[in-house]
């Protein structure tokens, strides 16, 4: 019997992708920045509920930074793909 891996997350482009309710975190909290996506509204497409408006925030994970100053970039996009696309670009640049 194979050993079960602890804390196994869904991976997207070699980074963890974790969803809790309408909030999706992309990236590792051990990195300097992480991406937070909040699904603000949904719409029905072919019988499936799909994200419509999505808030995107690039967040500094340094606990010494004031909470208000932790948001490095912020925008709102139509659709999850567009939100993840711009957010991933921000995250890659911030971690480079």
């Amino acid at each position: 019997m194979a050993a079960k891996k602890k804390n196994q997350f869904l991976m997207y482009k070699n980074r963890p992708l974790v969803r809790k309710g309408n909030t999706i975190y992309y990236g590792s909290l051990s990195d300097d920045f992480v991406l937070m996506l909040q699904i603000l509204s949904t719409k029905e497409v072919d019988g499936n509920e799909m994200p419509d408006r999505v808030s995107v925030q690039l967040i500094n994970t340094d606990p010494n930074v004031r909470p208000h100053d932790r948001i490095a970039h912020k925008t709102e996009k139509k659709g999850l793909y567009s939100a993840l696309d711009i957010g991933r670009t921000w995250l890659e640049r911030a971690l480079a």
Side-chain angles (χ1 to χ4, degrees):
M1 188 166 168
K4 201 174 184 181
K5 289 184 180 180
K6 279 188 168 185
N7 298 328
Q8 190 174 21
F9 296 111
L10 175 66
M11 300 295 283
Y12 176 72
K13 305 271 183 170
N14 297 319
R15 297 202 186 281
L17 189 66
V18 180
R19 179 176 181 175
K20 177 153 170 77
N22 285 337
T23 304
I24 301 168
Y25 291 95
Y26 178 62
S28 174
L29 289 175
S30 63
D31 289 339
D32 292 336
F33 291 90
V34 69
L35 192 65
M36 183 174 73
L37 307 158
Q38 290 183 305
I39 299 168
L40 303 175
S41 69
T42 59
K43 64 180 177 181
E44 193 169 312
V45 178
D46 297 328
N48 296 310
E49 196 171 308
M50 303 296 288
D52 183 35
R53 288 183 25 244
V54 181
S55 168
V56 184
Q57 295 181 6
L58 179 67
I59 300 174
N60 186 328
T61 59
D62 184 351
N64 297 319
V65 176
R66 294 184 326 170
H68 184 267
D69 295 333
R70 286 187 185 173
I71 299 171
H73 290 291
K74 172 171 138 172
T75 191
E76 190 175 301
K77 292 291 182 184
K78 292 283 270 179
L80 185 58
Y81 178 80
S82 296
L84 194 53
D85 188 43
I86 188 70
R88 184 173 171 269
T89 301
W90 290 345
L91 185 60
E92 294 298 323
R93 288 180 183 171
L95 296 177

